[in-house]
Amino acid sequence: MVTTQEALQRAREADLDLVEVAPQANPPVCRIMDYGKFKYERDIRQKEARKKQSRTELKEIKFRPKIDAHDYGTKKGHVERFLRGGHKVKVTIMFRGREMTHTELGRKILDRLVGDLGEMVTVESMPKQEGRNMIMVISPNKRYMEQLARTKAIEPELEPEPEPQPASEPESVPEPVASAAAPEPDEG
């Protein structure tokens, strides 16, 4: 334990700062340090921690009850891409006019989508009707994604390296042939 005046004197001699670490303690605890360097290092650690965090976004894809097979396949591909990116997906079926009387068609599309994606998805919220829209939220299945990542990491090791091709000699370029259209000099 040192008095405040003596601590300030030591900090000035070392050309450092006297920083109060625990003001609630009795007596208060202080430390002699370079405060600017401390703040810089703390900010760097926080930035690294933020980089390592994974942010999951909520992506949305919209379907209609009368969707064509090709359009369905395209939108299903977008959903797969979002899920592989680790994002949650909000799938919306939009009903118009008389389509509201056949909401079971929208439910069939959502059930078909979950069936087609199989193990890849986990249904977070079951399909529910909100006004003219039917909404369902799906998220990637963590176990399936980890297994997929492991198999992708193993695949490059299994592929044989391509054999180097022998360097071929450059092909000779044929010399230009005089064209028949050029007039010959007249000796006459």
Side-chain angles (χ1 to χ4, degrees), residues 36-48:
K37 181 179 175 185
F38 169 76
K39 283 190 344 185
Y40 172 76
E41 289 173 351
R42 183 190 62 201
D43 291 345
I44 295 294
R45 283 193 303 269
Q46 287 175 347
K47 190 181 284 188
E48 288 296 320

Side-chain angles (χ1 to χ4, degrees), residues 76-161:
K76 183 182 89 171
H78 292 312
V79 170
E80 286 177 1
R81 189 180 74 223
F82 295 152
L83 291 170
R84 281 197 191 99
H87 303 291
K88 293 181 181 182
V89 181
K90 178 180 176 182
V91 184
T92 304
I93 305 284
M94 300 181 302
F95 297 99
R96 286 189 182 158
R98 293 182 185 162
E99 293 172 348
M100 284 297 295
T101 59
H102 299 290
T103 56
E104 72 277 358
L105 294 175
R107 178 66 185 233
K108 283 182 185 177
I109 291 172
L110 294 175
D111 292 341
R112 179 177 160 202
L113 181 67
V114 170
D116 289 349
L117 296 173
E119 295 179 3
M120 183 183 229
V121 298
T122 303
V123 178
E124 286 206 356
S125 71
M126 295 303 288
K128 59 181 168 247
Q129 190 79 30
E130 290 183 7
R132 293 191 168 274
N133 297 329
M134 184 177 286
I135 297 170
M136 174 176 72
V137 178
I138 56 178
S139 64
N141 183 342
K142 299 282 187 229
R143 288 188 188 131
Y144 179 81
M145 291 299 167
E146 289 169 1
Q147 180 182 355
L148 189 69
R150 271 190 244 118
T151 56
K152 283 189 177 184
I154 292 172
E155 277 181 14
E157 295 173 7
L158 297 177
E159 292 180 17
E161 293 184 25

Side-chain angles (χ1 to χ4, degrees), residues 1-12 18 28 30:
M1 285 192 10
V2 180
T3 65
T4 308
Q5 296 303 322
E6 191 177 335
L8 282 169
Q9 183 64 33
R10 286 183 187 178
R12 283 191 195 112
L18 182 66
C30 296

